[in-house]
């Protein structure tokens, strides 16, 4: 099913709280390893932005790292380890030989500084394009969805409405041994701390349910949104799973490397005002408000 915002908010995936439950047989040291590549092109001739996400899932824990030109070089190989049972997120900073532990509940307390909501019912057209190209050796089915939605962007006491059009092509598989990685992504986005809730994506999913079937392995998406200047911002995105396998995973992958200095931030963050996390996004949101609403 199309997740118009799920894949775009993967840049926030360093702060997820939960993911899909693994099969019972995977509760030992058998886990899943995924690698996905997402490329976004602004359609303005700029250098395309690439994001490579590498994930290891083992029981209630997972480890996620990101590379690509979407991130500053200063990140220096930073990766995150999330324990959904303990409710902790550990940030590993190899360049500093440091690990920092936080309470994931603190992230969930932050309020979004702007919201997005749909006006009316999204207009969705779904096309069944038949058999698709194999992905990682798995047979796929090819779908195309075209959705037109009027979105209301609210920034404090100000708001504006814009119509967006999303054309998505999806390659899915019904093979039973393939896990639903898209569900993992959706849970990451939903539990990634401060963000902008979007019920339009949920409505589009409901409309597509029963028409687009299977587990997502590859997707392309073209999004067009009018701006305050009267022109339109168009972006092209392609997401593909490059690696997906079940194997033995070393539990040490989910611990701070030996010799690293560990900072436990949980006690300090208990007294932190949640609004501080929202305030940290204010500058970015101000730029978006100017672009979308003027």
């Amino acid at each position: 099913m199309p997740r118009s915002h799920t894949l775009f908010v993967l840049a926030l995936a360093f702060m997820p709280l939960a993911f899909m439950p693994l099969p019972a047989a995977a509760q030992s040291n058998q886990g899943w390893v995924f690698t996905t590549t997402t490329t976004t092109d602004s359609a303005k001739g700029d250098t395309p932005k690439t994001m490579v996400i590498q994930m290891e899932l083992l029981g209630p824990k997972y480890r996620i790292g990101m590379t690509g030109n979407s991130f500053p070089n200063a990140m220096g190989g930073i990766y995150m380890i999330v324990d959904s049972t303990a409710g902790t997120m550990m940030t590993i900073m190899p360049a500093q030989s440091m690990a920092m532990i936080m309470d994931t509940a603190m992230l969930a307390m932050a309020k979004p500084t702007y919201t997005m909501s749909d006006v009316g019912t999204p207009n969705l057209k779904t096309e069944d394009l038949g058999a698709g190209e194999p992905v990682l050796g798995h047979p796929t089915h090819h779908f195309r969805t075209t959705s037109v939605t009027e979105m209301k962007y609210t920034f404090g006491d100000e708001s504006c409405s814009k119509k967006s059009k999303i054309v998505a092509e999806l390659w899915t598989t019904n093979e039973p041994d393939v896990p639903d990685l898209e569900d993992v992504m959706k849970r990451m986005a939903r539990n990634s701390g401060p963000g902008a809730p979007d019920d339009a994506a949920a409505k589009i999913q409901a409309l597509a349910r029963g028409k687009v079937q299977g587990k997502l392995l590859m997707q392309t998406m073209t999004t067009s949104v009018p701006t305050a200047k009267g022109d339109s911002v168009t972006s092209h995105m392609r997401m593909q799973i490059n690696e997906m396998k079940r194997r033995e995973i070393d539990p040490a992958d989910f611990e701070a490397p030996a010799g690293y200095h560990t900072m436990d931030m949980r006690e300090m963050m208990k007294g932190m005002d949640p609004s501080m996390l929202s305030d940290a996004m204010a500058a970015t949101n101000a730029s978006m408000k100017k672009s979308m609403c003027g």
Side-chain angles (χ1 to χ4, degrees), residues 90-130:
M90 181 161 53
T91 305
I92 307 296
M93 297 167 277
Q96 293 77 28
S97 298
M98 183 181 296
M100 183 172 63
I101 302 175
M102 297 173 62
D103 189 337
T104 53
M106 183 65 190
L107 300 173
M109 292 172 61
K111 296 181 179 180
T113 54
Y114 74 94
T115 60
M116 296 186 296
S117 59
D118 64 313
V119 179
T121 302
N123 183 0
L124 176 70
K125 177 184 177 182
T126 304
E127 302 172 73
D128 187 334
L129 302 180

Side-chain angles (χ1 to χ4, degrees), residues 152-165:
K152 181 180 179 180
Y153 299 84
T154 302
F155 301 85
D157 297 331
E158 300 180 51
S159 65
C160 63
S161 297
K162 303 288 181 180
K163 279 192 175 181
S164 64
K165 179 180 180 181

Side-chain angles (χ1 to χ4, degrees), residues 55 137 167 215 217 265:
M55 290 187 288
V167 179
K215 303 162 188 174
L217 292 179
M265 308 294 290

